[in-house]
Amino acid sequence: MLLGPERVCYLGLLGRPRLRSFGSLTVYCGLDLPFRFSIDGRNWQETAVAVVPPYQPHWVETGERLLGSVMVEPETVNMGALPPMLRCDHGGDRDELLQTLRRGFARIQALAEEGTDPRVEVDPLFLGQTLPRRELDPRVARVLAYLREDPSRHCPAEEAALLSGLSFSRFLHLFKEDLGITFRKFRAWKRARSLLYHVNRRDTLTDIALDVGYPDSTHFSHSIRQFYGLTPKDILVGSRKLAILLQSRVGAPDALVNAGL
């Protein structure tokens, strides 16, 4: 897994998730064979590539085959200016995207095996181009930068409003207007996403829950199941042998370090 604050690139077994709903734009890629994908749990399709918008509930099934996925945090890209192949309503051929994704995952596999820490630009490597950046209100951007430093930190909306220099109600309105989601939903996703930085730990679930920012293991388990369709225990057990390449969280977004090999 290549893990950073703006992108996640994962290659591995999927497990048997129930309904999942990531807060990212997610691109799934079958490494050699198609996988099964559904939005409603009734109408399934076999496909080698699927593009899922942020917060869209969906199901994915692969059996025991490897599956690749690239997760793009929507606050970092102009969702209205995405290339056609990444638009969720795109009905054309995605073969070029498929081949680019497969080459990208082959490259990441090689890096993990080498144990090196090169510089990697995710978008060109996996998607064939740099995605257009999203323009945010500076006051909202200030809050996002603060949260990016530590996604698990306790930051209620009242504190975020003070940081932005806005009233509580004005901040909540501007945040939703700028990002298209509520601050509460955004925080819930970022907290759940930060679990990925801890999947190789051998600590108890309670310890990890507290470090990720949950008040207790019950809230932790409920939130993780809601987003990932798997329990925290299943995720941690399935990640024990996962090779992780970490992108720097602040300052140098393309600098990689190796962890958990």
Side-chain angles (χ1 to χ4, degrees):
M1 178 166 62
L2 174 60
L3 175 59
E6 298 186 352
R7 306 288 187 269
V8 176
C9 305
Y10 171 78
L11 175 62
L13 296 175
L14 183 67
R16 298 184 181 277
R18 295 182 289 273
L19 181 68
R20 48 175 36 190
S21 180
F22 296 140
S24 61
L25 173 72
T26 305
V27 185
Y28 291 104
C29 166
L31 267 292
D32 46 20
L33 296 171
F35 56 92
R36 297 182 73 232
F37 174 79
S38 176
I39 290 294
D40 58 15
R42 297 185 301 274
N43 300 298
W44 291 81
Q45 59 174 308
E46 281 205 348
T47 181
V49 178
V51 180
V52 186
Y55 301 99
Q56 171 65 62
H58 61 280
W59 284 260
V60 181
E61 292 184 355
T62 62
E64 299 302 318
R65 298 192 302 274
L66 296 179
L67 184 73
S69 62
V70 177
M71 301 166 68
V72 178
E73 297 307 292
E75 74 274 11
T76 68
V77 295
N78 184 343
M79 297 292 290
L82 290 174
M85 65 180 180
L86 291 180
R87 294 177 187 168
C88 302
D89 59 354
H90 179 64
D93 184 14
R94 284 197 170 111
D95 185 65
E96 181 179 352
L97 174 61
L98 174 63
Q99 298 309 318
T100 302
L101 287 163
R102 286 175 172 173
R103 288 194 296 270
F105 283 113
R107 175 61 176 153
I108 292 302
Q109 280 183 296
L111 297 179
E113 292 171 0
E114 294 167 5
T116 56
D117 56 340
R119 297 179 64 85
V120 174
E121 294 184 31
V122 172
D123 291 1
L125 179 62
F126 286 92
L127 306 175
Q129 58 188 289
T130 300
L131 300 184
R133 297 290 298 186
R134 188 172 196 152
E135 293 186 9
L136 296 168
D137 185 286
R139 294 163 293 186
V140 171
R142 188 183 309 142
V143 173
L144 296 183
Y146 176 71
L147 294 174
R148 174 173 168 159
E149 293 176 359
D150 182 4
S152 63
R153 77 191 332 158
H154 181 65
C155 180
E158 292 83 357
E159 180 181 345
L162 287 173
L163 184 62
S164 71
L166 298 168
S167 69
F168 179 69
S169 60
R170 176 57 183 155
F171 167 73
L172 293 181
H173 176 80
L174 181 61
F175 190 93
K176 186 172 182 180
E177 183 180 74
D178 238 19
L179 271 68
I181 56 169
T182 64
F183 180 75
R184 182 177 181 177
K185 194 169 188 177
F186 177 85
R187 289 294 294 120
W189 162 241
K190 290 300 182 183
R191 185 176 290 115
R193 186 186 186 276
S194 67
L195 170 65
L196 299 178
Y197 288 98
H198 301 268
V199 294
N200 276 348
R201 286 175 53 178
R202 298 295 187 269
D203 296 334
T204 67
L205 289 177
T206 299
D207 288 338
I208 294 175
L210 293 174
D211 287 346
V212 173
Y214 291 94
D216 54 59
S217 57
T218 299
H219 286 84
F220 178 48
S221 181
H222 175 76
S223 180
I224 296 304
R225 286 201 310 268
Q226 177 185 2
F227 286 109
Y228 294 93
L230 294 164
T231 66
K233 181 179 179 180
D234 287 340
I235 292 174
L236 296 174
V237 169
S239 301
R240 286 175 178 169
K241 296 183 179 180
L242 181 66
I244 301 178
L245 295 172
L246 292 178
Q247 290 184 300
S248 165
R249 296 194 188 190
V250 180
D254 292 328
L256 299 184
V257 296
N258 187 271
L261 293 178

